[in-house]
Amino acid sequence: MEYNKNLHLELLKRSQKLQQEGKHLYEESPEDFLKLRDLSALMIGYLHWQNREHYLELIEELLNGSIHFLPLRKKYTSINRAVELLEAELIFLDPIKPYTKAFNFMFLIDDLISLFDRYCSDPTICESHELTEEELRDSIQDMFIKIKQELIIESN
Amino acid sequence: LQKSQAFQAYRLSNRWTPTQSNPGPPRVGGYGGSSSNSLYQFSRGLAAGNSEFQNLSAKAIENAYKQLPSLPVTGTNFEVEPWSLAKHVQHAPDFGLNPYNYGMTYADLQSIADIGLINQIRAGKTPPNAQFVKDFQLRYKLFTESHLMFEKNNDTVMGKSCTSFKNLITGVFTSFRNDSNNSFTGYKLTPLQSLRHDNYNRIGRNY
């Protein structure tokens, strides 16, 4: 899917107008609602990608220190909220590269954040899908390498 | 028909938007008050800052929460069990629950997301009381029952084979393990996560 700024603007305006009338875009056209959601997803992904260097710093800090997920979670959540605010004010970003090129990076960040819900701090009660601290560190390290590789591939 | 049902489900979930209310004092759960090892006593002890409760083994803490009954999801074989929700209580606001109504703050929920429920208790910080977990179970159950038409039984959630129920409009989902039929996890997906779920049937990293 390619990013289309004009379509994004048009759908957002329509969605906002319908909301003012107490309606929802989904009611009028589920297809357009999904288009709008996907355009938002591209914008979110692009903002994550724009913050890639800070993400790498935060992951390194996590790997070198004690297990604390909050800084990374905050970064992730703040970017998602930022897009909601930008959309509410009909503010758009002119990407310096196609939004779709950031997809692999943003999927890896998404995977990384979802890992934290699987952390089990006490091995005596860990379930099969949960990760002990050591397993979690290994997984984060693995993700860190993949993210760096992805960025190297992108820069070439 | 599905469009109409989807919108009705959306309207239902939308009524659960969290409301701000004045933070009250910590309220202890009212379940199982007569049992000597009850979650009632456990949460009361924690609220009183009793270190005896802080130092319980992880298994004892898990068992305390597991004293709450599982809730069956009507029309399915799934059950919403208390422990899976207690340890992921940071997601309760996505189902319209306000931690202030249970003597907790959003910072408490963030802390659980950061260090885990067991460490939260060990650190002497506030864990979810019985009533919070019970209400979270009930919301999880009601959400699922109002989204049965969106069942997807071939999902992979955090690497586990699951059945999920998602509201396309809000991105909120619940999931149940296919091996045990027990509740697994649920929260509000971002547009990006929701898109990925639609395209690849997965939420979180696959192993």
Side-chain angles (χ1 to χ4, degrees):
Chain A
M1 185 181 63
E2 286 300 319
Y3 182 72
N4 181 331
K5 191 163 131 183
N6 291 336
L7 180 63
H8 198 178
L9 176 65
E10 180 198 316
L11 291 173
L12 271 177
K13 278 183 174 173
R14 222 168 94 208
S15 172
Q16 289 181 355
K17 188 167 177 287
L18 285 167
Q19 275 183 9
Q20 284 165 3
E21 295 167 2
K23 295 177 188 164
H24 197 282
L25 181 59
Y26 188 88
E27 264 179 305
E28 197 181 271
S29 166
E31 296 76 24
D32 283 349
F33 168 79
L34 289 177
K35 270 186 209 162
L36 177 57
R37 183 201 64 181
D38 294 354
L39 291 165
S40 299
L42 285 171
M43 197 158 153
I44 289 171
Y46 184 71
L47 265 188
H48 284 303
W49 180 82
Q50 279 284 27
N51 285 271
R52 57 199 179 282
E53 280 155 15
H54 191 214
Y55 266 123
L56 289 178
E57 269 175 42
L58 290 174
I59 299 168
E60 266 188 317
E61 280 171 22
L62 180 63
L63 285 170
N64 295 329
S66 57
I67 288 283
H68 278 290
F69 310 125
L70 209 51
L72 265 163
R73 270 194 201 273
K74 271 188 173 170
K75 179 93 191 165
Y76 182 78
T77 310
S78 300
I79 288 176
N80 293 333
R81 284 196 187 133
V83 171
E84 284 176 19
L85 291 173
L86 291 172
E87 286 188 326
E89 301 300 330
L90 302 177
I91 298 169
F92 298 92
L93 304 169
D94 274 322
I96 53 171
K97 65 186 292 187
Y99 277 22
T100 39
K101 290 267 175 83
F103 249 75
N104 285 343
F105 176 79
M106 67 202 196
F107 282 166
L108 286 167
I109 291 296
D110 193 39
D111 282 345
L112 179 74
I113 299 295
S114 75
L115 272 181
F116 302 159
D117 264 14
R118 298 174 59 179
Y119 174 48
C120 172
S121 61
D122 193 313
T124 61
I125 56 165
C126 286
E127 295 183 53
S128 60
H129 68 280
E130 291 180 322
L131 305 171
T132 61
E133 180 168 339
E134 194 183 342
E135 289 167 337
L136 185 68
R137 281 187 188 282
D138 287 346
S139 294
I140 295 170
Q141 181 72 48
D142 177 42
M143 300 288 303
F144 185 56
I145 292 167
K146 281 186 180 156
I147 290 169
K148 278 180 124 174
Q149 282 171 345
E150 185 57 38
L151 292 176
I152 291 168
I153 292 167
E154 273 186 6
S155 63
N156 289 333
Chain B
L1 179 65
Q2 190 163 14
K3 180 181 159 188
S4 161
Q5 286 176 324
F7 201 72
Q8 280 175 12
Y10 162 72
R11 287 277 188 227
L12 175 71
S13 311
N14 216 25
R15 286 208 299 271
W16 292 344
T17 303
T19 52
Q20 291 293 326
S21 64
N22 292 328
R27 288 196 286 140
V28 253
Y31 179 75
S34 60
S35 163
S36 59
N37 291 314
S38 69
L39 182 54
Y40 175 79
Q41 287 201 342
F42 169 67
S43 53
R44 187 170 56 184
L46 285 171
N50 189 333
S51 61
E52 179 194 339
F53 290 90
Q54 281 177 32
N55 295 326
L56 281 173
S57 70
K59 197 73 195 163
I61 293 169
E62 179 186 354
N63 285 339
Y65 280 101
K66 280 186 168 175
Q67 286 174 26
L68 291 170
S70 292
L71 298 183
V73 179
T74 307
T76 73
N77 293 322
F78 299 123
E79 290 205 329
V80 184
E81 60 95 20
W83 177 238
S84 66
L85 297 197
K87 62 185 175 182
H88 293 131
V89 72
Q90 68 268 24
H91 300 311
D94 291 343
F95 292 83
L97 291 173
N98 186 335
Y100 286 95
N101 294 335
Y102 306 92
M104 291 186 86
T105 63
Y106 284 97
D108 287 326
L109 298 187
Q110 273 202 332
S111 173
I112 291 173
D114 186 28
I115 60 176
L117 177 56
I118 300 293
N119 286 338
Q120 173 90 348
I121 290 168
R122 298 265 158 76
K125 296 180 179 176
T126 311
N129 62 30
Q131 195 58 49
F132 198 178
V133 178
K134 282 169 72 179
D135 287 355
F136 191 11
Q137 282 179 276
L138 185 60
R139 288 290 173 96
Y140 200 96
K141 165 188 159 75
L142 293 175
F143 177 91
T144 307
E145 287 172 355
S146 63
H147 290 78
L148 293 181
M149 70 292 265
F150 303 114
E151 177 173 339
K152 280 178 78 180
N153 58 15
N154 59 345
D155 275 357
T156 306
V157 181
M158 315 288 173
K160 273 277 169 198
S161 169
C162 284
T163 295
S164 75
F165 302 86
K166 184 175 77 170
N167 186 308
L168 254 184
I169 300 173
T170 61
V172 175
F173 80 100
T174 55
S175 63
F176 296 81
R177 288 171 61 155
N178 284 334
D179 56 1
S180 65
N181 287 343
N182 281 333
S183 49
F184 189 53
T185 189
Y187 51 89
K188 181 177 165 53
L189 298 172
T190 66
L192 175 60
Q193 292 168 329
S194 190
L195 163 70
R196 197 180 189 193
H197 175 236
D198 285 350
N199 290 347
Y200 303 106
N201 294 332
R202 75 180 176 100
I203 294 168
R205 195 180 180 195
N206 219 349
Y207 284 85

